[in-house]
Amino acid sequence: MDLVMSLISQTTLAKTSLHLRAGIAAAGVCVLCGLIGPTNINAATVYWDIDGSTAGAGGGSAPSGTWATNNGNGNRNWSSNTGGTVSGASWTNGDTANFSAGTNATGNYTVTTSGTVQVGGIQVVEGAPTVSGALTINSGSTIDVATGSTLTFSSSITATNFTASGGGIIAFGVAESFGTVGLSGNTTLSLTGTSTITTLNITSDSVIDFAGSTSNLTVTNLNISSGVTLTLLNYGGTDSFTATNFNVNGVPIATGSTTTNISFSGFSGAVMYNSGGSITLPVPEPATYGALFLGFSVAGFFLRRRPRCAA
């Protein structure tokens, strides 16, 4: 009996070892195929810090500097410590960038990328940093900007799939082209020029600001959750907003109908036009224009009446 049990145990161990080796081999194949495994398996959150181990981000309220993977002098601007009290290092591609270490970076400042910089996420907890230069945002990343803060991209960035959240403002200084964008948490996307988004998912009340002199947005798939409102700011004049497929809670809006899921801030009587699942927003009439028109109409009426009274 002992001999039988020993043989069974050895057989079980052999099978387990075989399955383990097979699993490891399969995982290796998946990694090689790009199915699993992030670009940086040791990705971490690091904090913008231009003054080494001195507490805070350095540079007073405006710690401008270079964002680079090169470890040369002047490029070691990232700290592993939230307070910025350890020596800084150069950037490691795939990490999450937090602006900034400490609590002093409350002003406007510019972070200039150098070389190939790739980020696994961005957090802005205070101040208004502007990222200048080429930047790649990894697929699935989150850009989280705290309420009261603004993150500006003054150059074109590469991003196929990201989520914007945090309640702050994410401003694009040039026209952009994105794959899938998630928008939530009363976050604002501020646009300039003609931008395109393949799929725009609005999961909680959010804002799109057509802040540029002419801002156009074309969306292939616009998806808004039930009970959620997308507010459009500064929309008028030569601006345009078009979506090929418009769905609320997964249901296409009926042909010729209107929706309350999109509103125009500062305008009254705006109508959402829909046709066959696609939408094109007209330029709505400002409430002030309506008031002026009414005022001119009343004045014209009395002016027309005056000659008759004199006669």
Side-chain angles (χ1 to χ4, degrees):
M1 179 61 72
D2 291 341
L3 178 59
V4 172
M5 294 301 294
S6 176
L7 290 173
I8 293 174
S9 177
Q10 292 177 19
T11 301
T12 302
L13 286 173
K15 288 182 177 179
T16 301
S17 176
L18 180 61
H19 290 161
L20 180 60
R21 290 196 299 270
I24 293 172
V29 171
C30 288
V31 169
L32 289 175
C33 293
L35 299 178
I36 63 175
T39 303
N40 178 10
I41 62 174
N42 298 314
T45 298
V46 290
Y47 304 85
W48 180 250
D49 180 10
I50 67 171
D51 66 351
S53 59
T54 302
S61 63
S64 296
T66 303
W67 184 354
T69 57
N70 184 297
N71 200 37
N73 291 332
N75 294 335
R76 301 167 194 167
N77 294 327
W78 296 96
S79 175
S80 60
N81 180 267
T82 58
T85 56
V86 298
S87 296
S90 59
W91 173 256
T92 298
N93 277 336
D95 281 351
T96 293
N98 181 290
F99 297 98
S100 293
T103 58
N104 64 297
T106 56
N108 301 315
Y109 57 98
T110 300
V111 177
T112 304
T113 63
S114 176
T116 303
V117 177
Q118 183 180 356
V119 63
I122 299 177
Q123 301 168 351
V124 178
V125 296
E126 62 187 2
T130 292
V131 176
S132 175
L135 179 68
T136 296
I137 298 177
N138 287 350
S139 180
S141 297
T142 296
I143 303 176
D144 188 277
V145 180
T147 301
S149 289
T150 299
L151 171 64
T152 300
F153 296 100
S154 62
S155 305
S156 180
I157 64 174
T158 301
T160 57
N161 177 6
F162 69 91
T163 298
S165 62
I169 299 172
I170 303 174
F172 299 99
V174 298
E176 300 284 2
S177 180
F178 301 129
T180 300
V181 176
L183 190 56
S184 65
N186 206 32
T187 301
T188 297
L189 290 187
S190 181
L191 305 176
T192 298
T194 300
S195 296
T196 61
I197 299 175
T198 302
T199 300
L200 178 58
N201 299 317
I202 313 295
T203 56
S204 62
D205 291 351
S206 303
V207 178
I208 294 181
D209 187 356
F210 290 77
S213 56
T214 297
S215 297
N216 306 310
L217 176 60
T218 299
V219 178
T220 303
N221 305 298
L222 174 62
N223 305 307
I224 301 181
S225 299
S226 179
V228 168
T229 299
L230 172 62
T231 299
L232 306 184
L233 295 178
N234 300 310
Y235 182 84
T238 57
D239 298 329
S240 68
F241 182 22
T242 302
T244 303
N245 304 301
F246 177 39
N247 306 284
V248 175
N249 209 33
V251 178
I253 295 299
T255 299
S257 65
T258 62
T259 180
T260 59
N261 294 91
I262 297 181
S263 69
F264 298 89
S265 178
F267 294 90
S268 65
V271 178
M272 161 68 73
Y273 290 93
N274 176 74
S275 176
S278 65
I279 61 170
T280 299
L281 303 189
V283 177
E285 180 182 277
T288 52
Y289 290 175
L292 287 173
F293 178 78
L294 178 61
F296 287 137
S297 297
V298 172
F301 172 79
F302 284 107
L303 286 173
R304 287 194 302 270
R305 295 276 297 177
R306 180 179 295 178
R308 298 177 185 175
C309 292

